[in-house]
Amino acid sequence: MSNASLFVRMKDYIARNYGKNNVGKMLLHTGVISWILSSAAQVMAIAINDKIPKEQKLYLIPQECADAAVNIVSFYALTKTFKSLGSYLVKTGKLVPSSVRKILKDTNFKNIGKIGTDIAKDANLPAEELKNFERFSAGMDFMFTTLGSIISCNIVTPLVRNQIAADRQKKGIAKMNESKDECPSQINSTYQYLQKPSMVDFQIKYYNRTYPSNSGTLKI
């Protein structure tokens, strides 16, 4: 298969699945793909960075994977919900252009807002008004999808991610304390008074191993 033929098939697929009134769908899917690629790049950057100690990677990589899962799932779920809400409001006639609303009122259309109603099919709109309604529908689809993505990325996702991180930290502290109680003789005295694991632990260990002669001068 030639590159030109592959490009044509790809273009036809995109036009068929994302053209006309599917702008919101395209934004949703490209947003998810962007999250996946950026998260994969972040994890890969940590994995191949020789300056990050192995112990630190064992902490950072699972954390990045967990954060990526939270980001992607919350983004998709919330954005999809807003997109579906906008589509429902427009499709059933709750949210339509003023000219279309006037036609619905003049024709005494009774099914506005009812489940199963499709204004484009059921209201017998004139051709010009049908085009106007489809353009309005595409615009609302874009607006609701964008609104959902903004709320997800800037409000919901950070709150959910921070809550999960806090719960993970509590479990880590409890596990560390449990290990101390079970095997107190095996705990390194340097860390036995630490109240919680943090990135500083890894930094101290890395510094002491790299600069053993200066380890006594490092202050945290």
Side-chain angles (χ1 to χ4, degrees):
M1 182 184 297
S2 65
N3 292 335
S5 177
L6 180 62
F7 174 76
V8 171
R9 291 183 61 180
M10 184 179 298
K11 182 179 65 174
D12 291 342
Y13 175 83
I14 293 174
R16 184 170 60 254
N17 289 276
Y18 299 107
K20 201 174 181 179
N21 296 328
N22 289 321
V23 178
K25 180 181 177 182
M26 182 180 69
L27 289 175
L28 177 61
H29 288 178
T30 53
V32 171
I33 292 172
S34 297
W35 271 116
I36 293 173
L37 293 178
S38 63
S39 299
Q42 182 70 12
V43 172
M44 183 63 67
I46 295 173
I48 65 176
N49 192 336
D50 295 334
K51 296 182 179 180
I52 300 178
K54 183 178 179 180
E55 300 94 329
Q56 194 170 340
K57 289 181 180 181
L58 293 175
Y59 173 85
L60 289 175
I61 291 178
Q63 178 178 279
E64 287 296 331
C65 291
D67 287 347
V70 172
N71 291 337
I72 293 169
V73 171
S74 62
F75 172 83
Y76 182 84
L78 191 61
T79 305
K80 177 68 173 177
T81 299
F82 269 79
K83 180 184 183 304
S84 298
L85 174 62
S87 297
Y88 172 80
L89 292 175
V90 174
K91 186 177 182 180
T92 59
K94 282 285 190 180
L95 189 62
V96 293
S98 57
S99 58
V100 174
R101 185 174 298 281
K102 184 176 184 303
I103 292 175
L104 296 178
K105 183 178 180 180
D106 292 343
T107 57
N108 199 27
F109 188 78
K110 299 291 187 181
N111 295 327
I112 296 177
K114 293 183 178 180
I115 297 176
T117 299
D118 188 341
I119 296 297
K121 296 179 180 179
D122 303 337
N124 296 319
L125 297 174
E128 187 61 33
E129 285 300 332
L130 181 58
K131 291 182 180 178
N132 183 33
F133 176 79
E134 289 177 345
R135 288 193 294 268
F136 179 84
S137 177
M140 289 297 100
D141 195 44
F142 173 83
M143 187 186 78
F144 273 85
T145 303
T146 302
L147 180 62
S149 65
I150 291 173
I151 293 176
S152 171
C153 294
N154 295 282
I155 300 176
V156 176
T157 297
L159 290 175
V160 173
R161 183 177 59 212
N162 291 341
Q163 183 60 47
I164 292 176
D167 291 341
R168 191 165 56 217
Q169 185 185 56
K170 290 179 182 178
K171 291 179 180 178
I173 295 172
K175 187 175 181 180
M176 184 184 69
N177 291 334
E178 181 181 348
S179 299
K180 289 179 181 179
D181 293 338
E182 292 178 356
C183 307
S185 60
Q186 298 178 10
I187 302 298
N188 189 322
S189 61
T190 305
Y191 301 99
Q192 61 183 353
Y193 298 107
L194 289 178
Q195 297 301 313
K196 63 180 179 179
S198 67
M199 296 306 298
V200 175
D201 302 339
F202 298 112
Q203 294 169 352
I204 294 174
K205 191 170 183 180
Y206 176 67
Y207 185 91
N208 290 341
R209 186 176 61 186
T210 306
Y211 308 103
S213 61
N214 297 325
S215 59
T217 62
L218 181 61
K219 302 296 183 181
I220 300 297

